[in-house]
Amino acid sequence: MIGFLYSFYSILITTPLFSEVEKHPRTLKVLVAGDVMFNWGLRETRQKRGEFAPIEGLIPLFLEADIRMVNLETPIANSQEEMDESKSYVFNAKPEDITLLKKLNIDLVFLGNNHSMDYGKKGLEDTIENLNKENILFAGIGKNIK
């Protein structure tokens, strides 16, 4: 789990949802977590202890939620050509790192943060492409201001 969740917040919204019969209200569970990234020992932990070792303790919590959203504090760039060398900390996920997000059934990631452009415009385009391939929704950034 080192590096995967720098900070973690869980929000449980208990809004009754009514189906056709109002006698059967349902609770909607929304989980929001912050600052997910794949550096700082995560890959080494996966290599030594298994692919899902960093998130094993989180899986039951995430699977309990109906909607799961995280702040993706890293681009998922395919190359490192446009690395922002002016920053003290530059993160990058590899496309195969998305398996951790998929294992947690992440529905949506937030990209509006200080690391989304760590690998420039190309890194952002790669991130969007990689998330789209895995059917993970995103918010907070796009190809242009619109």
Side-chain angles (χ1 to χ4, degrees):
M1 186 162 62
I2 297 172
F4 186 72
L5 292 177
Y6 181 75
S7 62
F8 180 77
Y9 307 97
S10 177
I11 298 173
L12 177 63
I13 298 175
T14 56
T15 305
L17 297 178
F18 297 97
S19 60
E20 296 172 18
V21 181
E22 289 189 25
K23 293 179 183 179
H24 301 286
R26 183 171 176 267
T27 299
L28 174 66
K29 295 180 181 179
V30 177
L31 186 140
V32 180
D35 294 359
V36 173
M37 43 81 83
F38 302 92
N39 297 83
W40 293 349
L42 184 88
R43 289 189 186 96
E44 292 82 4
T45 300
R46 289 173 78 186
Q47 231 174 11
K48 290 177 187 175
R49 296 183 37 222
E51 182 176 4
F52 300 113
I55 62 167
E56 284 173 354
L58 298 172
I59 294 170
L61 177 65
F62 276 72
L63 296 182
E64 189 178 306
D66 297 302
I67 300 172
R68 293 151 295 274
M69 301 176 281
V70 299
N71 179 46
L72 187 60
E73 191 80 4
T74 181
I76 307 171
N78 299 333
S79 72
Q80 298 186 11
E81 294 173 18
E82 294 185 35
M83 183 176 140
D84 186 348
E85 295 183 25
S86 70
K87 295 177 77 172
S88 297
Y89 298 101
V90 177
F91 301 136
N92 187 38
K94 297 177 181 176
E96 57 267 23
D97 292 331
I98 296 176
T99 59
L100 294 174
L101 300 177
K102 296 297 284 185
K103 184 72 171 179
L104 294 172
N105 285 343
I106 300 300
D107 298 294
L108 181 137
V109 297
F110 302 110
L111 298 178
N113 62 65
N114 61 319
H115 286 285
S116 291
M117 295 295 291
D118 280 3
Y119 283 85
K121 181 180 177 187
K122 177 67 172 125
L124 176 61
E125 290 170 350
D126 289 349
T127 301
I128 292 169
E129 179 184 324
N130 288 318
L131 291 169
N132 282 336
K133 279 181 190 175
E134 296 297 332
N135 296 312
I136 297 176
L137 301 172
F138 61 90
I141 204 163
K143 292 183 179 181
N144 56 48
I145 196 69
K146 293 179 183 177

